[in-house]
Structures are given as C-alpha cells and as structure tokens.
Amino acid sequence: MENMKTYNKYIAAIALSLVLASCKAPMATVIKDEVKENIPQNFNQEEQQDANNNSGTTPWRQFFTDPNLVSLIETALKNNQELMITLQEIEIAKSGVLAKKGRLTPTVSAGIGAGVTKAGRYTSEGAGDATTEIEPGKEMPDPLGNFEGGLMANWEVDIWKKLKTEKESAVAHYLSTVEGKNFVLSNLIEEVADNYYDLLALDNQLDIIQQYIKLQQKALEISKIQKEAAAATELAVKKFEAELAKSKASEYTIRQSITEKENQINALLGRYPQPIVRAKDSFMSTIAPTVYTGIPSQLLANRPDIKQAELELKSSKLDVEAARKEFYPSLEISATLGLEAFKPSYLVKLPESIASSLAGELAGPLINKSAIKANFQTADARQIQALYEYDKTILNAYLDVANLMSKVKNIDQYYQLKSQETKALDESIDIANQLFRNSRADYLEVLLNQRDALDAKMELIEAKQKQLSTVVDIYKSLGGGWK
C-alpha cells in the first residue's frame, strides 16, 4: 500500500513538472516607435501653426458652400457602392466580436439518442448483463437497448485570459473598420469635390474655345475681304481656315471630356448617367476657403487612416499575446445531466433513470509545438508589419499636408500671374486685329496673339481648378470630410 502511495506521488510530480514545462512561452518582439515619438512640432519650420485653428475638424457641410456640390455629396454618401461595401466590412467585424465573446461562456446543448448493443456472452459485460435481474424474475434484455436525452455543457475556463485577449483583439479590429469607413467617407467627398471642380473648369474652357472660334471666324472674313482688295494673299486665308478647323476640333474634344467627367461623378453617386446640376458662371470668381492646418500631432486624432492603422496595430499586438498563451495549459470542464434507460418506459422512473457526469481536464502541449510556434511567429511578424504600416501612414500624412501647404501658396501666385498674362494678351488681340484691318500687321501676328491668348485663358482656368482642388485635398489630408 505504501509503495502504491509513493508511486502515485511520483506520477503526480512528473505530471506537474510536465505541465510547468509546457508553460514556457516565447516573448513578443518589441520595436521602438520612433516615427510617432519624433513627429515634428510644425509642418513648416519657418512658420508657427496654431493648435486652436484646424480646418480638419470643420464638418464638410460648413466647409463646402456651393449648394450644388453639397447636394452631390449627399447623394454620394447615400448611394456609393464602395461605401456600402465598407459598411458590410463593419458588420463582418462586429460578428467576429460576438463570436469571440461567445467563447467566454459555456456551450450548452440538448440532445436525444437511441441505440442497441449486444455484448458477447463470454465477456465481462455480457456475463454481467446475463446475471443481472432488473426486477424479480426479469433478466436483462438481449440485445440491450439504450435511450437517452438531456443537456450537455462544455466550458473552456479562461484561466490565462487568452479568450478575453482574443475578444479584445476582435473589438480593436472592429473599431479599425469603423475608422476605415470614415476614411472612405473622407476620400469620397474629396473625389466628388475634385471632379465637380474639374467639370466646371471644362465648362469654362468650352466657353473660351467657342469665343475663340467666333473671333477666328471674324478674322477669316477679314482675310477674305483683304484678299479681294489685294491687301492679303490666299496663304493668309488658308492659315485662318486651318486655325478655325483646329479650334472646332478642340471643342469636340472638350465636349467628350465633359461627358466622361459627368459620368465619372454619376459613378461616384451610384447612379446611371444624367446631367450634373451646376453653375459654371461663378467658377472663376469662386474664392477658395482659407485652410488652417493646426499642428502635426493633431493628425493622430483627426485622420481616420492613422486611427485605423493604430487600431490594427493594437489588434495585432493582442493577437501575439493570445498566440503566446497557446503555450499554456488549458482547462476544460464538461458536464451532462439527463435521463438514460434501456427501455423508453423506464425513462420516467426517477431517480433510477437520472444520469449525470462532471469532468475537468487540464492539458498543455509538451513535445510537438511546431504548429503553436508557427502561429506565434506569424502573429509576431504581423504585429511588426502593422507597426511599420502605422509609421508609414503617419509619415505620409505629414508629407501630404506639408506638400499641399506649399502647393496652396505657389498656385495662388501662379494664378495671379496668369491673370495678368491673360489681361495683357486680351488687349494685344484687339491691337493686332486693328493693325491687321489697316494692313499694318501680318496675319501671323494675329494668329500668334490669338493662340497665346487662348492658351493663357485655358491655363488660367486650370489654375483656378487646381487652386480649388488643392484646398479640398489639404482639407482631406488634415482629416476633414468624415465628420
């Protein structure tokens, strides 16, 4: 008896040693996040920004004042397919949270079953059944039936908080999909606004080319009159005819671009082609709103793509922690409670037909841990990858704002100079036409002046479009648009 007790102690000691050995787990890789820690104090070292003024916090309905553009954005937010797809990603992530949460509670199921067993007569089970009397004079039936029904429960006790960690990871991923939706909103508003300004620019370019065609038609008529009066040659007439044909061809090119741009906007709005309501006459007089950048650290809170990357980093770190806890033993408890008998009529005989069980199992990996190690190494690599992605998102966000701030200043100066150039060339056209009528200027001078004026006006319209679009882009880069 003493030997048996000693033997059992040795077995228990060995089992405990093995369980403790299985608890040894590797540590996650830790990398210092220098990009976030070293983010500059200002976007431009030559200027100080005010943290209290940040256009990124302005709601888009206040930022955009054109009622036609506001209406287009509202339609896009209701119908855009990419946005609808992103909303379903949120629902998928939400279901993932519920699934992880469900693993924290016991699983209870109900079931019924029936079967029949015939044991060999010369086995311990068969011999026992043959000599057993259920009631006086009634032997155990052969073959032996079995009828049962009841409740079964299984529960993995979260002794190492592994399941809780997995749930927290799922929650972080869910929140990242919400920020992803906000980033899609911000991009969508930017795309609609940029394409809207592109369309207005094309409308104004079409007006300019039509005005230019009328001007060339008059110049062609004058050249024909001068030819008849022997003041010009057939070459001048053909040159004006060729320029007129070139301008008319350009008109159709612009019309095609307008059609494509309208359809591009309609695609963003999730609808079939239809006219885009807009007021083109006020385009050149539109004043771009002033943008205040705040300070770089505010990007961490305002830009949804940065917050999305941060939450994905948090989720990946929790995944590493959960994978690490796979090296620890797990405790599972199972229990059953129900009725069981070899005849259906005996199921109602209580308490004889009541059957129950309760068992607990503590088990951990010992020898072959390759799958668990591989899972941990994968999770560890992904959390490092997520950190680099987070750092890249912060760096790109800072560079976006810094580049666009410079672009806003330069495009304003460019627009002012193009305005002066256009005004001067408009005056030169009148002078050249007057000299041509009086045969004091060559037709080539008229053509060159008209071409230069047309190019300058086209470039002035493009400058206005870039001026407005750049303001929209910097608004989005500051984290505006999704609120």
Side-chain angles (χ1 to χ4, degrees), residues 87-385:
L87 292 176
Q88 296 310 307
E89 289 292 336
I90 294 176
E91 294 301 317
I92 293 171
K94 187 187 296 184
S95 299
V97 174
L98 293 176
K100 296 297 183 182
K101 184 178 179 181
R103 292 188 60 191
L104 287 167
T105 56
T107 300
V108 180
S109 58
I112 59 174
V116 62
T117 303
K118 179 174 176 56
R121 177 67 180 79
Y122 300 112
T123 63
S124 58
E125 183 181 354
D129 291 345
T131 57
T132 300
E133 291 186 352
I134 302 305
E135 294 179 4
K138 291 186 177 181
E139 296 181 353
M140 188 76 73
D142 187 25
L144 185 65
N146 186 61
F147 301 90
E148 59 183 355
L151 301 176
M152 293 152 283
N154 289 283
W155 182 31
E156 182 180 351
V157 183
D158 196 19
I159 53 178
W160 309 111
K161 306 298 182 183
K162 180 190 72 174
L163 300 180
K164 184 180 179 182
T165 302
E166 290 179 350
K167 189 201 78 170
E168 291 174 351
S169 173
V171 170
H173 176 65
Y174 162 72
L175 294 175
S176 77
T177 60
V178 175
E179 295 300 337
K181 181 264 298 181
N182 292 336
F183 190 57
V184 170
L185 281 175
S186 186
N187 282 335
L188 178 60
I189 291 172
E190 179 197 32
E191 282 191 78
V192 172
D194 283 344
N195 281 284
Y196 178 75
Y197 291 136
D198 286 346
L199 183 59
L200 292 179
L202 289 169
D203 287 337
N204 280 263
Q205 286 181 338
L206 181 61
D207 289 342
I208 292 298
I209 200 72
Q210 288 175 340
Q211 294 172 14
Y212 185 56
I213 288 172
K214 291 179 181 179
L215 187 64
Q216 288 178 324
Q217 287 174 335
K218 292 180 180 179
L220 177 61
E221 292 172 0
I222 293 171
S223 67
K224 289 180 178 179
I225 293 172
Q226 288 187 337
K227 177 194 171 186
E228 293 176 358
T233 65
E234 180 68 16
L235 179 60
V237 175
K238 294 302 179 183
K239 281 289 186 181
F240 280 114
E241 286 180 348
E243 191 70 15
L244 179 60
K246 179 182 177 182
S247 299
K248 288 183 177 180
S250 298
E251 177 185 1
Y252 289 105
T253 300
I254 295 174
R255 288 186 182 277
Q256 177 61 26
S257 298
I258 289 175
T259 299
E260 292 177 0
K261 187 60 65 175
E262 282 187 316
N263 289 339
Q264 191 172 350
I265 294 175
N266 282 315
L268 292 172
L269 272 55
R271 67 189 189 187
Y272 287 104
Q274 57 184 276
I276 302 297
V277 178
R278 57 194 185 273
K280 63 180 180 179
D281 296 335
S282 60
F283 174 70
M284 295 303 294
S285 60
T286 302
I287 299 176
T290 304
V291 177
Y292 302 97
T293 60
I295 58 177
S297 60
Q298 291 176 322
L299 292 174
L300 304 179
N302 292 340
R303 280 196 49 145
D305 57 334
I306 294 180
K307 292 195 287 185
Q308 181 185 18
E310 183 181 14
L311 287 165
E312 285 295 341
L313 175 59
K314 179 181 178 181
S315 176
S316 62
K317 287 183 177 180
L318 290 169
D319 286 339
V320 174
E321 187 62 26
R324 184 172 182 271
K325 291 173 180 178
E326 289 287 348
F327 289 90
Y328 300 159
S330 61
L331 175 60
E332 293 190 6
I333 297 176
S334 59
T336 60
L337 177 62
L339 304 175
E340 186 174 14
F342 61 83
K343 287 180 63 176
S345 59
Y346 287 164
L347 288 173
V348 295
K349 289 188 176 184
L350 304 176
E352 290 84 354
S353 62
I354 295 178
S356 62
S357 68
L358 178 64
E361 181 181 8
L362 182 65
L366 289 179
I367 300 176
N368 189 357
K369 300 181 182 180
S370 58
I372 299 175
K373 289 179 180 178
N375 185 45
F376 173 80
Q377 291 169 356
T378 300
D380 191 42
R382 283 178 177 168
Q383 66 102 6
I384 297 173
Q385 188 181 53

